[in-house]
Amino acid sequence: NAGVTQTPKFRVLKTGQSMTLLCAQDMNHEYMYWYRQDPGMGLRLIHYSVGEGTTAKGEVPDGYNVSRLKKQNFLLGLESAAPSQTSVYFCASSYSTGPEQYFGPGTRLTVT
Amino acid sequence: AQSVSQHNHHVILSEAASLELGCNYSYGGTVNLFWYVQYPGQHLQLLLKYFSGDPLVKGIKGFEAEFIKSKFSFNLRKPSVQWSDTAEYFCAVSGYSSASKIIFGSGTRLSIRP
């Protein structure tokens, strides 16, 4: 099992550009999450999904969109990147929102 | 409001010293509690978790944590740290129901001097 994988690992964008981050899990988890990690702020939930075809807003959803067309994949999109979106993005998955979440290796995004 | 507080932002210890990292939470109702660890350049890994039962929880690599309900605390301890424990440690809380999301603290960076 690969667990939770994320692509790409690194990306540099110019302000206003768009991109999509891909998260894939092979554990048949129902729930998937996107977090951003910023120094001194821990992990903040951007969006999450409780099943294929469903998405919901987390703590910091503005400027991001998500889609869960397949159970194993959860995409995070930035339509018009801003420097404030420079961060490390982590995807996670779980059987439910209560027990532990399994994290991917992260994507380091820099917006100039 | 639901929140997790980790008051120590950066802790520096020598090898073989004892460790205690503080974690306090604010969350209504029954909770699940977690400690995650992030080694340099790596993703978050679960260190230990408390769901119910014995409030003293033992995790991997000699870590343990104690849930004190009256103090809303879940402090992480290790009697003797090693250089390889250098990492960032995150405390997290969720509700007991399947509809609850995990809330993370801001993290504590632990640096171990060889």
Side-chain angles (χ1 to χ4, degrees):
Chain A
N1 284 354
V4 181
T5 58
Q6 293 182 232
T7 52
K9 288 186 170 51
F10 303 95
R11 186 71 185 269
V12 178
L13 287 179
K14 293 188 188 310
T15 297
Q17 287 185 317
S18 63
M19 77 163 294
T20 300
L21 308 183
L22 171 64
C23 175
Q25 53 93 6
D26 61 1
M27 296 174 282
N28 202 34
H29 286 168
E30 285 294 328
Y31 297 161
M32 297 186 74
Y33 315 82
W34 275 107
Y35 294 91
R36 59 177 291 171
Q37 183 183 31
D38 302 293
M41 304 188 76
L43 277 80
R44 293 181 292 170
L45 183 64
I46 304 171
H47 286 281
Y48 64 101
S49 167
V50 299
E52 183 179 319
T54 73
T55 63
K57 294 180 180 180
E59 183 184 354
V60 288
D62 294 341
Y64 306 94
N65 57 74
V66 288
S67 64
R68 183 102 180 265
L69 298 180
K70 294 182 179 180
K71 185 177 183 179
Q72 63 268 34
N73 295 339
F74 195 30
L75 279 63
L76 177 71
L78 285 73
E79 290 185 347
S80 180
S84 61
Q85 294 177 305
T86 293
S87 187
V88 180
Y89 292 85
F90 286 99
C91 176
S93 68
S94 71
Y95 286 109
S96 76
T97 55
E100 64 190 270
Q101 295 180 9
Y102 296 80
F103 284 82
T107 295
R108 186 173 293 276
L109 175 66
T110 302
V111 183
T112 61
Chain B
Q2 301 163 350
S3 65
V4 177
S5 296
Q6 292 181 247
H7 304 292
N8 308 110
H9 297 295
H10 189 193
V11 173
I12 303 173
L13 295 173
S14 298
E15 274 195 315
S18 64
L19 168 72
E20 180 160 4
L21 300 183
C23 173
N24 288 91
Y25 67 91
S26 172
Y27 203 103
T30 307
V31 295
N32 296 319
L33 293 156
F34 310 85
W35 275 98
Y36 281 86
V37 60
Q38 185 178 29
Y39 297 105
Q42 296 188 27
H43 61 281
L44 274 79
Q45 304 170 45
L46 185 68
L47 202 54
L48 49 80
K49 60 190 177 189
Y50 170 81
F51 287 170
S52 63
D54 189 343
L56 184 61
V57 180
K58 295 194 185 299
I60 60 173
K61 303 186 180 185
F63 285 91
E64 65 179 31
E66 185 175 12
F67 171 46
I68 303 179
K69 189 175 181 181
S70 61
K71 295 185 177 181
F72 299 93
S73 70
F74 191 55
N75 292 356
L76 181 70
R77 299 195 292 251
K78 186 172 184 179
S80 176
V81 294
Q82 301 171 305
W83 179 80
S84 59
D85 293 325
T86 295
E88 189 149 17
Y89 293 80
F90 294 92
C91 182
V93 64
S94 77
Y96 209 68
S97 77
S98 60
S100 303
K101 296 182 289 296
I102 290 182
I103 298 170
F104 286 86
S106 57
T108 297
R109 185 155 64 99
L110 176 63
S111 300
I112 306 297
R113 291 189 292 251

